[in-house]
């Protein structure tokens, strides 16, 4: 993570990988100029505003503005399965899904690169939520270079009891690291990913925001320690937290780790996932 630039955003270099935690989003035509959303939460930590502040509604409006057509409108339905304010880019995934689905619903011809530019206006992680797979992100996180990666990676996500606000985490980062060096993705990560060396990927896992997240939520140190003691090959906080993620040697090891973590009481709940998987995808009705 580099310093905060004049636009208020930090310059970063990160490795993104899309994992198999997803939610279903449906779009239907609505009256001209009407953009609305209904969300279905799967429990505490999954509630998101059903109003115009919802990033999915903003995505639909932005695409309609791009098309310059006043007759467009839509109703979006989202079944939330990705926890909110968890560092898992759930809102970004909704925005990416909405862009893709509305472009299809409205019969727009928009190129991938134009869609990605709109995505970047909605949030730094939205272009990656469209792309999926594994990619290096630079700039704010929206300048992407896809990476060819061998193998499948099995992870356990340890969800926390309460979300964290991203700007708060970045503010704490600024206090802890007033002049960070120019950000770079370590060569060791790229080599380990290219060669599918799980142990080396595990050893190289690192998140510059982790120190700030742990300063705000000291109890997460115990979550990270517990997963490592239960046999994870690597652990880190995801994005701006508070979710901790653990890399496991294989699918069986991930299942064992998942049940160990669930029993430990060191997190609110767990999800076993794998990556890389594609980004937002259309499922025709
Ligand atoms: O781009 P996005 O809306 O996801 O960013 C949320 C917040 O995270 C920003 O308002 C900013 O405070 C912080 N951020 C940042 N640098 C980035 C990405 C996000 O400071 N590269």
């Amino acid at each position: 993570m580099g310093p905060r630039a004049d636009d208020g955003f930090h310059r970063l270099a990160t490795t993104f990988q899309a994992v198999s935690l997803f939610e279903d989003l449906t779009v239907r035509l609505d009256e001209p100029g009407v953009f609305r959303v209904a969300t279905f939460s799967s429990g505490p930590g999954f509630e998101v505003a059903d109003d115009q502040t919802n990033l999915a509604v903003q995505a639909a409006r932005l695409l309609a503005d791009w098309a310059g057509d006043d007759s467009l409108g839509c109703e979006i339905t989202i079944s939330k399965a990705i926890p909110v304010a968890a560092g898992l880019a759930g809102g970004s995934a909704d925005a990416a899904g909405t862009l893709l689905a509305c472009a299809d619903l409205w019969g727009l011809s928009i190129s991938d690169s134009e869609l990605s530019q709109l995505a970047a206006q909605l949030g730094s992680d939205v272009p990656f939520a469209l792309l999926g797979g594994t990619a290096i992100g630079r700039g704010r996180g929206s300048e992407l270079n896809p990476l060819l990666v061998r193998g499948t990676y099995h992870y356990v996500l340890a969800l926390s009891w309460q979300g964290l606000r991203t700007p708060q985490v970045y503010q704490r980062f600024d206090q802890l690291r007033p002049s960070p060096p120019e950000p770079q993705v370590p060569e060791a990560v790229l080599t380990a990913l290219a060669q599918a060396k799980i142990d080396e990927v595990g050893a190289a896992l690192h998140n510059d925001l982790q120190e700030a997240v742990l300063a705000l939520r000291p109890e997460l140190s115990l979550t990270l320690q517990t997963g490592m003691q239960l046999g994870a090959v690597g652990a880190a906080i995801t994005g701006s937290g508070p979710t901790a993620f653990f890399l496991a040697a294989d699918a069986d090891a991930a299942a064992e780790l998942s049940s160990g973590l669930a029993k430990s009481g060191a997190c609110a709940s767990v999800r076993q996932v794998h990556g890389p998987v594609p980004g937002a995808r259309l499922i025709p009705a």
Side-chain angles (χ1 to χ4, degrees), residues 4 8-10 12 123-124 140 166-167 170:
R4 191 185 284 274
F9 286 79
H10 293 74
L12 56 79
S124 309
R140 290 182 180 190
T166 304
Y170 275 100

Side-chain angles (χ1 to χ4, degrees), residues 9-246:
F9 286 79
H10 293 74
R11 293 297 165 260
L12 56 79
T14 193
T15 312
F16 286 112
Q17 185 165 89
V19 297
S20 56
L21 181 69
F22 59 92
E23 47 204 21
D24 287 323
L25 181 149
T26 307
V27 293
R28 289 186 192 83
L29 289 175
D30 210 324
E31 287 165 35
V34 174
F35 301 90
R36 52 183 161 182
V37 65
T39 58
F40 297 94
S41 147
S42 54
F46 294 83
E47 294 103 351
V48 66
D50 267 358
D51 58 21
Q52 299 293 312
T53 63
N54 191 300
L55 204 56
V57 174
Q58 291 176 28
R61 283 189 177 278
L62 185 68
L63 184 65
D65 282 351
W66 174 87
D69 181 347
D70 293 344
S71 74
L72 301 177
C74 69
E75 185 192 15
I76 308 159
T77 311
I78 308 172
S79 301
K80 288 299 294 176
I82 306 173
V84 176
L88 292 169
S92 300
D94 295 343
T98 303
L99 287 176
L100 204 63
C102 284
D104 185 68
L105 180 75
W106 295 333
L108 304 178
S109 74
I110 178 164
S111 68
D112 288 350
S113 112
E114 283 169 315
L115 215 49
S116 182
Q117 278 172 32
L118 293 183
Q121 291 177 43
L122 293 160
S124 309
D125 295 342
V126 184
F128 180 71
L130 274 174
L131 184 71
T134 308
I136 301 293
R138 291 200 177 79
R140 290 182 180 190
S142 49
E143 295 160 25
L144 300 174
N145 283 104
L147 271 187
L148 275 181
V149 161
R150 289 175 58 211
T152 295
Y153 295 82
H154 297 273
Y155 303 95
V156 178
L157 306 178
L159 306 186
S160 190
W161 287 271
Q162 212 194 347
L164 264 180
R165 290 186 55 252
T166 304
Q168 190 192 359
V169 175
Y170 275 100
Q171 267 165 27
R172 183 54 73 96
F173 172 82
D174 292 341
Q175 288 163 0
L176 292 167
R177 304 261 158 226
S179 35
E182 273 309 303
Q184 271 178 357
V185 172
E187 208 51 48
V189 176
L190 302 180
T191 312
L193 282 170
Q195 298 176 348
K197 292 195 170 155
I198 306 267
D199 285 341
E200 289 177 25
V201 174
L205 290 180
H206 175 83
N207 180 351
D208 285 341
L209 289 177
Q210 183 162 313
E211 191 186 5
V213 173
L214 295 182
L216 293 163
R217 293 285 167 78
E219 69 278 12
L220 292 172
S221 295
L222 180 66
T223 313
L224 290 166
Q225 255 173 43
T226 306
M228 289 307 287
Q229 281 161 4
L230 287 167
V233 299
I237 294 294
T238 64
S240 56
T243 305
F245 76 99
F246 301 92

